[in-house]
Amino acid sequence: MATYSLTINGKQQQVEATEDMPLLWVLRDLLDMKGTKFGCGQALCGACTVLLGDSAVRSCTLPISAVGEDSVTTIEGLSENGDHPLQKAWIEHIVPQCGYCQTGQIMNAAALLNSNPKPSEEEIEQAMAGNLCRCGTYNRIKEAILTAAK
């Protein structure tokens, strides 16, 4: 085991883990941060999406040893009070049904808006295509992102 120093949601964290331990399990099991969800374990569904720097990454397959000096932002760090424009828009558009995929959806949308503050509908669809929602709330997700971009 090695000791890793990580910046997570703006705070320095020290963890002991094997170099191949996925970031998802570091967050959930070692740091007790349960907002990031386990979905498929193969980086296919997007439920585990977090930001590494400003980019969306799938934490279920990203080994802790690959995080390096980049900061990690989870859903818990997006806004202390749940008042990030995306979170407000998600509520306004009643996006979640079961809600399981929503933290990954929001974090992927945050990465999109970081890189493209005024995306078109087509750009939103392309950027969000890798995040699956078994409830099919894709149209509400798109509308929420458009609202947050205003």
Side-chain angles (χ1 to χ4, degrees):
M1 291 240 234
T3 301
Y4 294 92
S5 179
L6 306 170
T7 303
I8 301 176
N9 300 331
K11 297 178 185 168
Q12 281 298 121
Q13 302 275 355
Q14 300 283 331
V15 295
E16 281 192 27
T18 59
E19 67 182 28
D20 61 343
M21 184 177 210
L23 177 59
L24 173 66
W25 301 118
V26 170
L27 294 170
R28 289 184 62 80
D29 292 348
L30 301 183
L31 298 174
D32 200 34
M33 299 175 74
K34 306 296 188 194
T36 305
K37 305 297 185 206
F38 173 78
C40 66
Q42 298 177 5
L44 300 172
C45 72
C48 68
T49 303
V50 298
L51 300 183
L52 186 61
D54 284 332
S55 300
V57 297
R58 305 297 199 247
S59 64
C60 71
T61 57
L62 181 71
I64 186 69
S65 59
V67 172
E69 300 294 316
D70 287 327
S71 63
V72 175
T73 305
T74 68
I75 192 71
E76 293 95 341
L78 195 59
S79 167
E80 285 185 26
N81 303 316
D83 60 357
H84 186 279
L86 281 166
Q87 292 167 313
K88 288 179 168 182
W90 244 247
I91 292 166
E92 178 184 334
H93 291 278
I94 313 169
V95 174
Q97 278 185 275
C98 83
Y100 196 83
C101 71
Q102 297 307 307
T103 58
Q105 299 276 3
I106 289 171
M107 296 310 292
N108 197 57
L112 167 63
L113 294 180
N114 284 341
S115 66
N116 182 359
K118 298 289 182 191
S120 67
E121 288 189 29
E122 184 177 311
E123 289 169 326
I124 292 170
E125 289 170 6
Q126 289 174 350
M128 299 301 292
N131 285 72
L132 303 179
C133 175
R134 66 182 175 190
C135 300
T137 65
Y138 300 111
N139 288 333
R140 292 189 303 226
I141 289 168
K142 182 170 51 177
E143 291 302 318
I145 295 169
L146 287 169
T147 295
K150 289 181 183 173

